[in-house]
Amino acid sequence: MLQKIWLRLPIKRKIDTFTAVVVLIMLFSVGMALSMMHFSTAGYQEILEEDMACQDFMDAMNQEGLALHTYFTDETDNNREDLDAAIARAERSVSALPFDYERIGAERYARTWNIRNAYNQYKKERDLLLTSHAGVGGMLTSVYRLYDRQNYLETYARKLLQLTVEAGSDTYEEKLPVFQKLPFVLLNIMLILLFILFRVSGRMTEAIVRPVLKLSEDAVSIAKGNLDTPDIVVENEDELGSLADVFNRMKHATRDNIDTIVENHRVTELLQKEKLENIEMEKRLELNRLELLKSQINPHFLFNTLNMIGSMAELEDAETTEKMTESLASLFRYNLSTKEQIVPISSELRIAEDYMYLQKMRFGSRINYEVILPENQNIRIPSFTMQPLVENAIVHGLSKKETGGTVTIHVQWANASTVTIDIKDDGLGMPKEALTSLQEKLTKQSTAKIGIGLGNIYLRIKHLYQHGDLEIASEEGKGTTVTLTIPQNEEIPDDRKIQIGETEEKL
């Protein structure tokens, strides 16, 4: 079931699926790494902080003891200031000791309580000794008792530090079995992820790379003249599957045409050998060959075929296919049946709208189309004008822009007798140098270097109208605007009414 769904997915969906799998694997890997890191370091930061607090308390008490000894030996203001600073640090370090029963446990909590209680007793005796001190000789007993309390506090602090280190060791021992299994777990996870990635990559290769390689190899074989290769079999029901079917049909048609030509040539040689051919038969054979070639490339044949496909789509209730076929048939009908040089603007807008419909089916929401018309739409313009300019806007302006854009046709009366038509896109635009070069070529009517579509329109407007014009404005990154100036009351002399085919011949 999943295999069938995968084969039916369009190429873009397949690529999106592969990209999504790769991104999910990467995100999962990063998440696993972060989780392992958090698991490995959880709890150690607190233990380190607690170790540092105990060590800081021990250092502070040691510093206070030295400061007391120095002060008792030499009672100067500087020594008193050093003693006060040492006392302040010791009091801060006592307050900084962890004292959360739930976090540090009963034994460490009791040891910390002993330290705080002993420090309070020590503090009272120290403060009393400092305030009543009149000479070291008379207070030796109190001083030695104070030193003894300092030793007790140091002993308590060492015990607390030992308990804190043991708690860290217990935490490490609890996680040690996990650490020992962690490499194997990570290895298994990586193998699973690699297996998934290789499976998806294999599906992508089967669905895209191999069909393309088959088409490429068969195309090289055909280029060498070998048309007897087996048909390309592609299980995909996407664009590549359709392409393979069309490629096989083209190969069969080409082979049939070559067989027909070879057979005709064989018949010709046979007729020549038997001397049964005459001039009239030669002419008929050549005419038959010409008609065969014409039937293969005749636009009327293609137009009729499109109408037939549209009818079949209508019978099969395929509205989108029917609409696309009708739009394409409308384009061919207009190209085949329009002989006039000047046509109503509604005809040109209608054929441009059919063309835009086909392009929207190709590009989707990337391409938008807008038409702004005046109230008075009694306007006539040269035929085959709008569609080529709209096509230029899409091909050169919007198709290469990742976000697409909008093609706008703005028709307005410049004055009572002249109409201006702006065909504008917000696509890639042109660099200033390229725009200047294009404008110079238009001015010099060097249309062979700027493309048959734009050159044809420019040449016809200049040929048909004395005051007609075509101008181009563009800015790189912002888009391009082609402005047509079409007089409405200017009569066109007969010698200016050349056929479109003649104009293309000049180009």
Side-chain angles (χ1 to χ4, degrees):
M1 182 65 181
L2 292 176
Q3 176 72 9
K4 291 182 179 179
I5 295 175
W6 175 257
L7 293 175
R8 291 175 184 172
L9 287 178
I11 293 176
K12 185 178 183 302
R13 292 288 299 277
K14 288 185 176 74
I15 295 175
D16 292 343
T17 302
F18 179 74
T19 304
V21 170
V22 173
V23 171
L24 288 175
I25 289 175
M26 292 176 62
L27 292 176
F28 182 78
S29 301
V30 172
M32 286 293 299
L34 292 176
S35 299
M36 296 302 176
M37 185 183 299
H38 176 72
F39 175 77
S40 301
T41 59
Y44 291 128
Q45 183 65 30
E46 293 180 358
I47 295 297
L48 290 175
E49 291 176 355
E50 292 168 0
D51 287 347
M52 291 178 62
C54 294
Q55 189 64 48
D56 184 62
F57 172 69
M58 292 175 64
D59 292 342
M61 289 303 302
N62 185 46
Q63 182 181 358
E64 182 178 337
L66 292 175
L68 276 171
H69 179 73
T70 302
Y71 179 70
F72 288 150
T73 304
D74 185 9
E75 297 183 11
T76 64
D77 293 338
N78 289 335
N79 290 338
R80 182 55 189 254
E81 290 177 0
D82 293 340
L83 176 60
D84 292 340
I87 291 172
R89 180 190 172 190
E91 291 178 353
R92 288 195 303 269
S93 64
V94 170
S95 301
L97 290 174
F99 200 55
D100 184 353
Y101 184 85
E102 297 294 333
R103 183 161 63 91
I104 64 177
E107 188 173 3
R108 289 169 61 195
Y109 181 84
R111 185 63 61 187
T112 304
W113 184 87
N114 289 337
I115 291 174
R116 289 193 171 199
N117 188 49
Y119 183 80
N120 288 332
Q121 296 298 323
Y122 161 79
K123 179 180 177 182
K124 290 178 181 179
E125 292 188 13
R126 179 199 65 202
D127 293 344
L128 180 62
L129 183 61
L130 290 175
T131 54
S132 63
H133 181 61
V136 177
M139 303 294 289
L140 284 177
T141 302
S142 299
V143 170
Y144 288 133
R145 188 168 58 250
L146 189 64
Y147 287 162
D148 289 340
R149 290 193 178 276
Q150 284 184 343
N151 292 332
Y152 292 149
L153 285 171
E154 184 177 354
T155 301
Y156 293 155
R158 286 198 185 114
K159 183 60 177 177
L160 179 61
L161 179 61
Q162 180 182 355
L163 292 174
T164 303
V165 172
E166 290 176 355
S169 299
D170 294 341
T171 301
Y172 176 78
E173 289 177 358
E174 289 176 2
K175 295 185 177 182
L176 183 59
V178 179
F179 290 152
Q180 292 174 341
K181 297 178 181 178
L182 192 58
F184 301 100
V185 174
L186 291 176
L187 179 61
N188 290 330
I189 292 175
M190 290 303 299
L191 290 175
I192 293 172
L193 294 178
L194 286 174
F195 175 76
I196 294 173
L197 185 60
F198 284 141
R199 289 285 293 176
V200 176
S201 178
R203 293 296 184 187
M204 288 292 292
T205 301
E206 290 285 344
I208 298 177
V209 178
R210 291 190 179 177
V212 172
L213 289 177
K214 289 181 181 179
L215 288 169
S216 177
E217 292 171 357
D218 216 19
V220 171
S221 180
I222 291 173
K224 294 178 179 179
N226 183 13
L227 294 172
D228 296 326
T229 56
D231 285 350
I232 298 175
V233 179
V234 177
E235 296 181 358
N236 298 11
E237 298 180 23
D238 55 10
E239 297 90 339
L240 284 175
S242 301
L243 180 61
D245 291 339
V246 172
F247 187 88
N248 290 331
R249 290 199 297 269
M250 288 176 59
K251 182 172 66 176
H252 294 162
T254 304
R255 184 168 56 198
D256 292 342
N257 289 338
I258 292 176
D259 291 343
T260 301
I261 294 173
V262 171
E263 180 65 20
N264 287 340
H265 183 65
R266 189 187 65 82
V267 171
T268 301
E269 288 183 348
L270 182 61
L271 290 175
Q272 286 176 347
K273 289 180 181 180
E274 295 179 358
K275 296 182 181 180
L276 298 176
E277 187 176 15
N278 55 35
I279 297 176
E280 186 63 23
M281 293 178 67
E282 284 283 347
K283 290 181 179 179
R284 289 180 181 177
L285 181 59
E286 292 299 324
L287 287 174
N288 286 337
R289 290 177 178 173
L290 181 60
E291 289 300 320
L292 176 62
L293 293 174
K294 284 184 178 180
S295 67
Q296 291 176 354
I297 61 174
N298 194 329
H300 287 282
F301 172 75
L302 180 57
F303 170 66
N304 292 332
T305 303
L306 285 173
N307 282 333
M308 183 180 68
I309 294 173
S311 300
M312 292 299 294
E314 183 178 3
L315 291 175
E316 294 174 0
D317 238 356
E319 296 182 0
T320 302
T321 304
E322 180 185 357
K323 175 61 177 173
M324 291 177 65
T325 307
E326 288 178 355
S327 298
L328 187 56
S330 177
L331 285 169
F332 277 103
R333 184 186 299 112
Y334 189 76
N335 289 334
L336 293 173
S337 62
T338 302
K339 302 298 182 183
E340 296 85 357
Q341 287 286 317
I342 309 299
V343 297
I345 193 172
S346 58
S347 300
E348 285 291 299
L349 290 174
R350 184 168 58 252
I351 207 66
E353 184 176 0
D354 287 335
Y355 174 79
M356 282 302 301
Y357 176 79
L358 294 173
Q359 294 304 315
K360 284 183 69 65
M361 295 304 297
R362 175 185 175 190
F363 292 102
S365 61
R366 287 181 55 205
I367 301 296
N368 296 304
Y369 179 58
E370 182 181 11
V371 179
I372 303 173
L373 296 173
E375 292 183 1
N376 181 7
Q377 299 179 17
N378 185 21
I379 300 169
R380 295 178 67 83
I381 63 174
S383 58
F384 306 106
T385 300
M386 290 291 190
Q387 187 268 331
L389 295 177
V390 172
E391 182 176 356
N392 279 349
I394 292 177
V395 172
H396 301 294
L398 301 182
S399 65
K400 299 176 183 178
K401 184 178 179 182
E402 184 177 355
T403 56
T406 301
V407 178
T408 303
I409 297 179
H410 188 187
V411 183
Q412 56 185 335
W413 288 89
N415 52 53
S417 60
T418 304
V419 169
T420 61
I421 304 172
D422 292 330
I423 295 88
K424 180 181 180 181
D425 68 81
D426 55 357
L428 297 178
M430 288 184 283
K432 186 175 181 181
E433 298 79 9
L435 177 62
T436 302
S437 175
L438 181 60
Q439 290 171 338
E440 288 177 355
K441 291 173 183 176
L442 283 176
T443 303
K444 296 176 182 178
Q445 298 190 5
S446 178
T447 54
K449 298 180 180 179
I450 60 175
I452 190 170
L454 185 61
N456 182 293
I457 296 169
Y458 177 81
L459 190 58
R460 284 195 290 130
I461 289 176
K462 287 296 185 180
H463 190 83
L464 291 171
Y465 302 103
Q466 184 178 359
H467 301 291
D469 199 4
L470 183 150
E471 298 176 339
I472 301 176
S474 183
E475 186 174 349
E476 188 174 11
K478 293 188 178 180
T480 302
T481 301
V482 178
T483 301
L484 306 180
T485 302
I486 310 296
Q488 295 298 298
N489 60 353
E490 186 177 313
E491 294 208 3
I492 303 173
D494 290 338
D495 60 343
R496 291 179 177 266
K497 294 181 179 179
I498 60 175
Q499 291 298 319
I500 296 170
E502 297 173 10
T503 305
E504 293 176 349
E505 225 171 78
K506 293 181 180 181
L507 297 175

